[in-house]
């Protein structure tokens, strides 16, 4: 006979205490159970023991038990049924707090077996004499709709909610509106929902008046729910729009930032229907102080407010035109707040406040945060581009910053100066020597490319332009691709403006770009320039053809740059203004781009993947069919195309009858690539190896632009005129086809 040892452990001790005959000991055990549950320990095994403590007059203990039930109802659905009788009994309790707690907990359990027992208690609580119970029951209807929509409609809960909008208690009205809005959003997320669906929450004139009456009496979150509903209302005329705006404006003074932004959203939506300029100015004037007040909040709230203010300024730039100093950065602001403030300051910049702005930005350029310094210098350039009269002052500030010889400051200033030259060509040429003197400070691709562009653009006014560009030509293969492209263009500009002194450097850069560079973009641009320069500029300089070609390709007139007034398209801006105080207005993107619609299970995802695969296979077959019916661009024979062959979708059906295509469509192909190749080879338009070798124009093993390329000789001379063969002559000369790929020029 074996003696069983005592059972030990924390859960066992809790189980013993939960079944104790002493009330205080049981309550303490429940508290310890909830504490363990809160820190992530598994106490689901105590479910029956906790359940026994539901029937108690102690409200605190009842709340703790209900909290435990809500957490473990999904893992113990069979045992939750045992609590139903207690829930139903509690909904008839004389204490309204107990009735509300019971109906709230039943709505939160989300267990299928509880739902059927929920309807009768919910009916009673929706008509309860106490407003606290009614407002709790209103939210419970929304939770029930999420679990089982048809049950809500069958029991008439939606009709009861619509009646409760006229409730005498504003908190009941607010919760009812929140519940109806949630149900409306859930219904509209379903593609099959029609406008006559009872779940659609349509705000009528009578509902509007009730909401406006309840607005000033609600709690802060109730006001947010009511204001969001008012934002959905479509005003019938100008008078109604004015009425809504005037009733909502007092909410600007609320201490809660969410209420303020919700009120701003309603006003921005309904102000579209207001035609009186004096009223619009009055509303905008009243909107400014609460927006400024939001900037005294913690950094996270500040950032949300700044993102929304950024949107508002894109629509109404005059809202905060006199509040520039509010957006000056503080020493302890996080970087994300400083960046938003910089963008808003540039938006608010005008001739009156530009001096104060430049003084502030100059201070920021001496900060220790490199990213912030760069953005501050960029803001100086944006200010110069935006305000013509302040451009010279901005350039002077940039010159002062360049004189500090701090590497990242100089490099960002060079990039900014390039934009200023684009905006004001031939205006600040006196700055160029200072920029060129700081050539050794540049080590970033963007700064190098900017200085090279300036040198090429003003090559005729820089005496040693060829020497400066020669530095970049010498290290051409070691530079990044943007620098290589900019060097190539700048050298060609130099050659066109100073042909006598730049002949050697242009030959060097073209030879290096076409032979030693591994970027196809750089090589292609070099080939194009070489082809253009193959005409003797001395003989053809006065010719109209030569002038037009180079004006269009290299020396084309560039329109002055400007700062866009909005960062989002106008239609999207209107949509985002209707989403103020939501994530859409913070990301500056419509909600469809980052929010999914509904819950998608693994089966639905797998099914969608299978549909996509079948569609891709069908599209691949259609591409094969279209390709076999298309003209072979590498075939120079004059044989007529075969007529009567199916094309497009019809050809797809023909290919689907082949075994390889059938395997592809059915998804049973062991090697899809081989099957696709066999479809190519089996068709009437497939090319055999010998045919393709004969018709391929490059010949031999020369698959690229090799040394035999006629416009890129081993010892090139751009001053020797070349007369390219005519296309007619090339078509009768195989060697010409192989050597001159650009014969069409």
């Amino acid at each position: 006979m074996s003696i069983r040892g005592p059972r030990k452990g924390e859960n066992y001790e809790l189980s013993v205490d939960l079944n104790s005959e002493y009330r205080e000991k049981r309550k303490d055990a429940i508290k310890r159970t909830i504490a363990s549950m809160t820190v992530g320990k598994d106490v689901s095994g105590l479910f029956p023991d906790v359940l026994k403590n539901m029937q108690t007059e102690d409200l605190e203990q009842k709340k703790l038990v209900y909290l435990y039930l809500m957490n473990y109802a999904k893992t113990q659905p069979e045992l939750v049924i045992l609590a139903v009788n207690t829930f139903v009994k509690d909904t008839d309790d004389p204490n309204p707090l107990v009735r509300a707690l019971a109906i709230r907990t039943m709505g939160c359990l989300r267990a299928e077996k509880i739902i059927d027992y929920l309807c009768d208690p919910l009916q009673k609580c929706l008509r309860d004499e106490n407003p606290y119970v009614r407002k709790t029951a209103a939210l419970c209807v929304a939770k029930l709709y999420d679990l089982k929509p048809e049950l809500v409609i069958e029991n008439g809960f939606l009709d009861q909610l619509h009646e409760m909008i006229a409730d005498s208690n504003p908190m009941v009205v607010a919760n009812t509106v929140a519940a109806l809005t949630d149900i409306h959003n859930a219904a509209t997320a379903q593609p099959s929902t029609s406008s006559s669906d009872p779940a659609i929450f349509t705000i009528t004139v009578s509902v509007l008046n009730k909401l406006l009456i309840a607005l000033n009496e609600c709690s802060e979150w109730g006001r947010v729910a009511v204001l969001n509903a008012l934002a959905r209302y479509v005003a019938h005329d100008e008078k109604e729009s004015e009425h809504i705006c005037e009733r909502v404006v007092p909410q600007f003074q609320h201490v809660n930032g969410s209420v303020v932004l919700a009120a701003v959203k309603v006003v921005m939506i309904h102000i579209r229907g207001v035609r009186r300029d004096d009223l619009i100015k009055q509303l905008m004037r009243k909107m400014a102080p609460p927006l400024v007040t939001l900037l005294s909040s913690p950094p996270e709230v500040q950032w949300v407010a700044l993102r929304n203010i950024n949107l508002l300024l894109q629509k109404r730039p005059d809202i905060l035109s006199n509040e520039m100093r509010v957006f000056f950065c503080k020493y302890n602001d996080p970087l994300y707040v400083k960046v938003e403030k910089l963008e808003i300051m540039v938006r608010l910049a005008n001739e009156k406040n530009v001096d104060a702005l430049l003084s502030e930005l100059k201070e920021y350029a001496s900060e220790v945060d490199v990213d912030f310094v760069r953005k501050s210098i960029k803001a100086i350039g944006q200010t110069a581009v935006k305000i013509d009269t302040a451009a010279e002052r901005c350039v002077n500030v940039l010159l002062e910053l360049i004189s500090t010889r701090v590497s990242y400051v100089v490099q960002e200033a060079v990039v900014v100066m390039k934009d200023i030259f684009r905006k004001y060509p031939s205006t600040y040429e006196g700055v160029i020597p200072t920029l060129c003197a700081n050539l050794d400070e540049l080590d970033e691709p963007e700064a190098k490319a900017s200085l090279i562009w300036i040198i090429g653009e003003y090559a005729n006014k820089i005496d040693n332009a060829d020497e400066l560009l020669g530095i970049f030509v010498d290290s051409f293969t070691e530079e990044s691709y943007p620098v290589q492209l900019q060097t190539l263009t700048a050298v060609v500009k130099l050659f066109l403006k100073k042909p006598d002194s730049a002949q050697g450097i242009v030959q060097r850069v073209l030879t290096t770009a076409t032979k030693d560079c591994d970027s196809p973009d750089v090589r292609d641009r070099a080939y194009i320039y070489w082809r253009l320069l193959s005409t003797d500029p001395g003989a053809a300089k006065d010719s109209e053809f030569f002038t037009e070609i180079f004006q269009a390709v290299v020396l084309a007139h560039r329109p002055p740059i400007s700062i866009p007034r909005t960062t989002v398209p106008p239609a999207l801006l209107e949509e985002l203004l209707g989403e103020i105080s939501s994530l859409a207005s913070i990301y500056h993107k419509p909600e469809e781009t980052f929010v999914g619609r509904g819950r998608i299970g693994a089966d639905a995802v797998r099914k969608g993947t299978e549909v996509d695969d079948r569609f891709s296979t069908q599209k691949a077959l259609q591409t094969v069919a279209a390709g076999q019916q298309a003209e072979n661009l590498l075939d120079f024979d004059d044989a007529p195309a075969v007529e009567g062959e199916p094309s497009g979708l019809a050809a797809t059906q023909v290919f689907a009858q082949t075994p390889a295509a059938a395997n592809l469509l059915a998804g049973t192909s062991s090697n899809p690539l081989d099957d696709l190749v066999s479809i190519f080879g089996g068709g009437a338009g497939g090319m055999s190896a010998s045919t393709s070798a004969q018709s391929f124009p490059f010949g031999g093993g020369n698959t690229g632009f090799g040394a035999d390329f006629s416009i890129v000789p081993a010892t090139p001379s751009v001053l020797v005129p070349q007369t390219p063969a005519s296309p007619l002559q090339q078509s009768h000369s195989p060697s010409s086809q192989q050597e001159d790929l650009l014969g069409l020029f």
Side-chain angles (χ1 to χ4, degrees), residues 468-534:
L468 296 173
L469 291 177
I471 297 172
F472 295 102
V473 173
D474 292 338
S475 60
F476 189 84
T477 55
E478 302 169 7
E479 302 289 356
S480 62
Y481 296 146
V483 176
Q484 290 179 354
L485 289 169
Q486 204 59 257
T487 303
L488 190 57
T489 303
V491 170
V492 174
K493 288 180 182 178
L494 173 66
F495 174 72
L496 294 175
K497 295 174 181 179
K498 296 181 179 180
D500 297 332
S501 60
Q503 179 178 343
I505 190 173
V506 77
Q507 289 181 354
R508 264 200 303 154
V509 75
L510 289 177
T511 302
T512 305
T514 52
K515 287 189 174 183
D516 302 332
C517 184
D518 56 355
S519 168
D521 291 334
V522 177
R523 288 201 307 270
D524 288 350
R525 183 177 294 190
Y527 284 132
I528 292 171
Y529 287 158
W530 206 313
R531 189 66 183 178
L532 290 172
L533 293 172
S534 64

Side-chain angles (χ1 to χ4, degrees), residues 273-286:
V274 178
R275 299 289 178 267
R276 288 168 46 200
D277 291 339
D278 59 330
L279 180 59
I280 294 176
K281 290 180 181 178
Q282 180 184 353
L283 292 173
M284 293 300 103
R285 192 166 57 250
K286 290 181 178 179

Side-chain angles (χ1 to χ4, degrees), residues 216-431:
N216 291 324
E217 305 297 329
C218 297
S219 68
E220 51 193 17
W221 301 116
R223 296 188 190 203
V224 172
V226 173
L227 287 168
N228 287 334
L230 292 175
R232 287 182 41 237
Y233 180 73
V234 180
H236 295 87
D237 51 32
E238 181 182 356
K239 186 176 180 181
E240 198 170 41
S241 296
E242 293 178 2
H243 177 63
I244 294 173
C245 290
E246 289 171 353
R247 294 291 295 271
V248 170
V249 160
Q251 304 305 317
F252 287 164
Q253 309 303 321
H254 202 279
V255 69
N256 187 297
S258 183
V259 177
V260 172
L261 287 178
V264 168
K265 173 172 66 175
V266 175
V267 171
M268 290 301 294
I269 289 175
H270 289 287
I271 204 173
R272 299 168 188 167
V274 178
R275 299 289 178 267
R276 288 168 46 200
D277 291 339
D278 59 330
L279 180 59
I280 294 176
K281 290 180 181 178
Q282 180 184 353
L283 292 173
M284 293 300 103
R285 192 166 57 250
K286 290 181 178 179
M287 194 182 292
L291 292 176
V292 170
T293 305
L294 289 176
L295 298 181
S296 59
S297 309
E300 296 80 7
V301 180
Q302 271 191 62
W303 186 74
V304 172
L306 289 168
R307 293 292 286 176
N308 285 283
I309 289 171
N310 196 330
L311 272 183
L312 293 171
L313 290 176
Q314 294 184 43
K315 179 66 177 177
R316 304 276 179 181
D318 54 335
I319 294 180
L320 298 168
S321 56
N322 299 322
E323 304 291 345
M324 167 74 81
R325 293 186 177 277
V326 176
F327 297 97
F328 285 174
C329 299
K330 300 176 182 176
Y331 74 96
N332 59 348
D333 280 341
L335 179 61
Y336 56 87
V337 171
K338 290 180 177 179
V339 170
E340 284 301 318
K341 285 185 174 181
L342 280 178
E343 188 173 345
I344 291 174
M345 281 191 281
V346 173
R347 290 195 179 281
L348 294 176
N350 54 45
E351 296 180 3
K352 297 179 181 178
N353 56 28
V354 68
D355 289 328
L357 174 61
L358 288 177
S359 175
E360 192 74 9
L361 292 176
K362 184 180 176 182
E363 290 294 325
Y364 299 160
S366 61
E367 294 279 346
V368 294
D369 192 322
V370 177
D371 288 337
F372 181 52
V373 170
R374 289 179 180 276
K375 293 183 183 300
S376 301
I377 297 172
K378 189 173 292 184
I380 295 174
Q382 292 173 338
T383 305
V385 172
K386 180 180 179 182
I387 307 172
D388 297 353
T389 56
E392 186 173 354
R393 282 171 279 177
C394 294
V395 171
N396 291 333
V397 171
L398 290 172
L399 288 175
E400 291 179 28
L401 294 176
I402 291 174
S403 65
T404 61
R405 308 285 291 185
V406 178
S407 176
Y408 55 86
V409 173
V410 172
Q411 297 193 84
E412 195 64 37
V414 170
V415 175
V416 166
M417 282 305 304
K418 183 255 299 179
D419 292 335
I420 293 177
F421 280 122
R422 284 287 308 275
K423 174 68 174 179
Y424 310 103
S426 305
T427 304
Y428 300 104
E429 296 170 5
V431 182

Side-chain angles (χ1 to χ4, degrees), residues 725-733:
S726 66
L728 184 60
Q729 292 171 341
Q730 291 175 9
S731 64
H732 296 289
S733 174

